[in-house]
Amino acid sequence: MEFKVSGKVTREEFEAFTEKIQPRLEKWKGIRLVEVIENLDGVEISALMKDIQFGLKNWSLFNRLEKCAVVADQKWIRVLADSIDPLFKPEIKVFQPAQLEEARDWVLH
C-alpha cells in the first residue's frame, strides 16, 4: 500500500485513513507500506489523539506489517522514523523524496 500525507492532518482525514487501513490490517499478512510525507504542516491535536487510540487498539495487528518505507522531505520526520525503527516489528527505512522509486523497490523486495 502507498499513501501520501501533506499539509495539516485533520481528525477527519485521519479517520478516513483508518477506515481504509483497518480492514486490511485485519485480513492481510505481510503488508508493505510506502508513506510519502510532503510539506507536513502539523497535526491537529484531535487527529493525534485518534492516532494514539488507533495504535493502542491495533497494536497486535501491526505484527502483520513487514516493511514500511518513509519518504519525507523534512529532516525531523526522517530522524523520528529512524529512531522508532527498533521499537516495531516491521522494518522501517527512510528515504529522501528523490528516492521514491528506490523506496517502492525496497518495499517490494
Side-chain angles (χ1 to χ4, degrees):
M1 291 189 296
E2 181 172 327
F3 62 94
K4 184 177 182 179
V5 178
S6 65
K8 186 165 189 161
V9 179
T10 66
R11 178 184 177 144
E12 294 79 18
E13 290 170 329
F14 187 78
E15 288 174 344
F17 168 74
T18 59
E19 287 175 12
K20 289 181 182 179
I21 198 169
Q22 179 77 38
R24 290 167 174 87
L25 284 174
E26 292 172 357
K27 292 180 184 177
W28 298 353
K29 293 183 182 179
I31 299 170
R32 296 168 181 227
L33 298 174
V34 176
E35 180 177 0
V36 180
I37 305 171
E38 297 178 339
N39 305 313
L40 184 64
D41 192 30
V43 179
E44 289 182 355
I45 295 294
S46 59
L48 182 59
M49 295 306 295
K50 281 291 188 183
D51 185 18
I52 292 168
Q53 290 172 348
F54 180 78
L56 292 173
K57 178 183 171 190
N58 295 289
W59 186 260
S60 63
L61 294 178
F62 290 122
N63 288 331
R64 294 173 181 251
L65 297 172
E66 281 186 0
K67 287 184 172 183
C68 179
V70 177
V71 180
D73 58 355
Q74 295 173 315
K75 185 176 180 176
W76 70 269
I77 296 169
R78 295 191 307 270
V79 170
L80 179 63
D82 272 338
S83 67
I84 65 170
D85 178 34
L87 304 175
F88 290 96
K89 179 195 175 287
E91 186 178 359
I92 299 171
K93 190 169 179 180
V94 180
F95 298 87
Q96 300 272 347
Q99 299 173 302
L100 179 57
E101 289 305 317
E102 183 181 337
R104 289 174 175 150
D105 186 59
W106 176 78
V107 164
L108 292 174
H109 298 98

